[in-house]
Amino acid sequence: NNDYKKKKKQPPLDPPYNCPPLQSWRTTKHGLPITYFRCWKWKPELASSKESETHLAYHIHHLLRRIPNNNRKKKDVSRICVIFDMRGFETYMLPHIHKCINILRCQYPGRAGAMCFINVPIYFTTVWKIISPWLDDEIRSKVFFAERGVDDVEKAVGFLNGRKLKTGLF
């Protein structure tokens, strides 16, 4: 019944342990698998450098496994999407972010499809001036700062669905 499909609620964008059984994870309309990163829950200082790298690799591999492979329309999807909720962001996190960016660039080149930032603190404009030189033009072109009204993950998905995103590696 089409009415049932229209009313069917989308699964939440929480970490893997909250995925409903036998239900695929959310993707953008472009087919990019989405993960939701919450700064206020991140405590990078509590892990060793090696543990942080392993954790990041686990999450990237988890996203890559979620790339749809049975959708003929989106068969060229090979990139991932991350929504960053910046509430709780602290400047001490910058070196950890730099390390994550380097791992993504060196170990997973071309895999970033979209990185959307929501609830960005006012002072982040200054932080962005520090971070953006770490990024090449390709990565910078995939960074989106949502306007103030986009303040939750569902609105961020809608925001990204209104953008033209590159899905394939080439």
Side-chain angles (χ1 to χ4, degrees):
N1 188 339
N2 283 343
D3 291 337
Y4 172 74
K5 287 182 180 178
K6 288 179 186 175
K7 293 178 184 178
K8 188 176 176 185
K9 192 171 180 179
Q10 291 288 336
L13 288 171
D14 283 324
Y17 47 83
N18 289 331
C19 183
L22 305 174
Q23 187 170 9
S24 65
W25 282 89
R26 298 273 307 275
T27 61
T28 65
K29 75 172 188 176
H30 318 85
L32 303 176
I34 303 167
T35 196
Y36 177 40
F37 179 84
R38 294 165 281 199
C39 281
W40 72 91
K41 290 193 171 201
W42 189 37
K43 307 289 185 234
E45 71 283 3
L46 298 180
S48 70
S49 180
K50 181 67 176 160
E51 288 171 327
S52 294
E53 288 176 25
T54 302
H55 186 72
L56 179 61
Y58 165 79
H59 280 284
I60 292 173
H61 282 278
H62 179 71
L63 281 169
L64 295 176
R65 284 192 312 269
R66 288 179 30 223
I67 291 174
N69 60 2
N70 59 355
N71 187 338
R72 295 189 204 297
K73 265 177 72 176
K74 297 178 176 89
K75 65 182 175 184
D76 66 338
V77 173
S78 57
R79 297 175 185 257
I80 61 175
C81 172
V82 181
I83 297 173
F84 294 92
D85 192 327
M86 298 296 287
R87 288 176 287 177
F89 173 80
E90 301 285 340
T91 55
Y92 80 87
M93 296 174 173
L94 283 174
H96 301 283
I97 292 170
H98 188 214
K99 185 173 199 157
C100 292
I101 291 167
N102 283 335
I103 291 170
L104 183 63
R105 288 172 64 197
C106 297
Q107 302 300 319
Y108 304 95
R111 291 300 193 164
M115 292 171 274
C116 180
F117 292 83
I118 62 173
N119 300 313
V120 177
I122 293 172
Y123 67 85
F124 196 76
T125 305
T126 304
V127 174
W128 180 246
K129 288 178 185 176
I130 295 167
I131 294 173
S132 61
W134 300 344
L135 310 173
D136 55 35
D137 290 338
E138 182 188 359
I139 295 224
R140 272 195 302 272
S141 73
K142 298 169 188 171
V143 172
F144 301 94
F145 291 97
E147 57 264 8
R148 286 277 166 215
V150 179
D151 56 2
D152 67 29
V153 75
E154 293 303 323
K155 291 176 185 174
V157 172
F159 173 79
L160 287 168
N161 284 342
R163 303 282 178 275
K164 183 175 178 165
L165 304 178
K166 191 172 179 183
T167 59
L169 288 176
F170 304 105

